[in-house]
């Protein structure tokens, strides 16, 4: 499924919820992330270069989900400028106020990538060793995306955001190889009203 098809599907889903505000673009975000950072397990953090461009469209929460703490649907991409692994997909995220200007935003999503799942060379060969030293092997074409963000509102319309995202199949969407990836960076957000 292409990114355009994902956008079309999400728009149709949001438009069909029966809410007056569902399907409306609530916010757009763009920023720069460090690709494949070392967070906890650093075995693969020296593989692949960056930076990444992060872009996201966030939709208004449909009224019928008010019971679930008003999650907002999003579509987005983490595009790697060095030609390494890029991600695209969508999911849901919530926003919880810490202060009048600062909020915490956890999210979960489902994404696809254009990187590698397995080493194409025979295990134990010099080619396989060299390939494995340079590439993160995701193990599945589709992955979960877990994200955490801190958002600081500059004005009613503009905000800055620290974003952490983790990609992995978690042995649920695939089995075997699951090196995963962590990215971290800054984004600017613009809210429509």
């Amino acid at each position: 499924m292409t990114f355009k098809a994902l956008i079309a599907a999400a728009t149709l889903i949001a438009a069909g919820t029966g809410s007056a505000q569902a399907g409306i673009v609530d916010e757009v975000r763009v920023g720069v992330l460090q690709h494949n950072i070392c967070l906890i397990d650093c075995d693969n953090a020296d593989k692949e270069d960056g930076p990444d461009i992060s872009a996201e469209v966030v939709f208004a929460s449909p009224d019928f989900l008010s019971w679930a703490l008003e999650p907002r649907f999003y579509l987005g991409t983490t595009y790697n400028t060095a030609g390494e692994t890029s991600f695209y997909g969508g999911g849901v995220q919530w926003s919880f106020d810490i202060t009048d200007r600062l909020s915490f935003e956890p999210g979960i999503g489902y994404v696809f990538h254009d990187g590698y799942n397995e080493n194409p060379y025979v295990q134990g060969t010099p080619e396989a060793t060299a390939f494995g030293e340079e590439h993160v092997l995701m193990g599945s074409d589709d992955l979960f995306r877990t994200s955490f963000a801190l958002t600081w509102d500059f004005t009613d319309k503009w905000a800055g955001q620290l974003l952490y995202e983790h990609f992995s199949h978690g042995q649920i969407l695939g089995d075997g190889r699951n090196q995963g990836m962590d990215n971290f960076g800054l984004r600017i957000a613009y809210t429509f009203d």
Side-chain angles (χ1 to χ4, degrees):
M1 180 178 276
T2 66
F3 186 61
K4 289 180 184 178
L6 283 171
I7 291 174
T11 302
L12 288 174
I13 290 168
T17 60
S19 167
Q21 59 175 250
I24 296 175
V25 174
D26 192 35
E27 194 173 331
V28 293
R29 301 165 174 179
V30 65
V32 179
L33 307 178
Q34 177 60 45
H35 186 77
N36 198 24
I37 65 166
C38 171
L39 186 64
I40 296 172
D41 180 4
C42 300
D43 290 344
N44 299 306
D46 60 342
K47 300 175 183 179
E48 301 195 3
D49 292 322
D52 293 338
I53 303 297
S54 172
E56 199 168 82
V57 175
V58 183
F59 298 92
S61 182
D63 292 339
F64 79 91
L65 287 178
S66 61
W67 63 271
L69 303 175
E70 300 180 344
R72 297 189 300 166
F73 293 92
Y74 71 88
L75 291 171
T77 185
T78 299
Y79 174 77
N80 183 267
T81 61
E84 304 284 5
T85 306
S86 294
F87 304 90
Y88 54 95
V92 294
Q93 49 198 209
W94 292 261
S95 184
F96 302 105
D97 291 339
I98 298 172
T99 69
D100 288 346
R101 291 182 169 230
L102 182 65
S103 59
F104 171 67
E105 186 177 280
I108 187 162
Y110 180 76
V111 300
F112 299 93
H113 69 91
D114 63 1
Y116 295 94
N117 293 329
E118 299 294 333
N119 194 321
Y121 299 100
V122 176
Q123 187 174 359
T125 64
E127 295 85 3
T129 302
F131 189 88
E133 289 174 353
E134 296 176 8
H135 298 91
V136 176
L137 305 176
M138 305 306 289
S140 174
D141 290 335
D142 48 345
L143 305 166
F144 293 115
R145 176 185 184 256
T146 307
S147 61
F148 299 100
L150 285 175
T151 303
W152 180 265
D153 295 326
F154 301 125
T155 68
D156 289 343
K157 299 278 189 186
W158 291 97
Q161 193 173 64
L162 283 173
L163 171 70
Y164 161 77
E165 59 184 4
H166 174 73
F167 299 97
S168 172
H169 65 64
Q171 301 297 336
I172 297 170
L173 298 172
D175 56 10
R177 187 73 70 176
N178 182 29
Q179 292 183 337
M181 187 177 293
D182 298 305
N183 301 324
F184 181 79
L186 297 169
R187 298 195 302 191
I188 295 292
Y190 180 80
T191 302
F192 299 95
D193 280 335

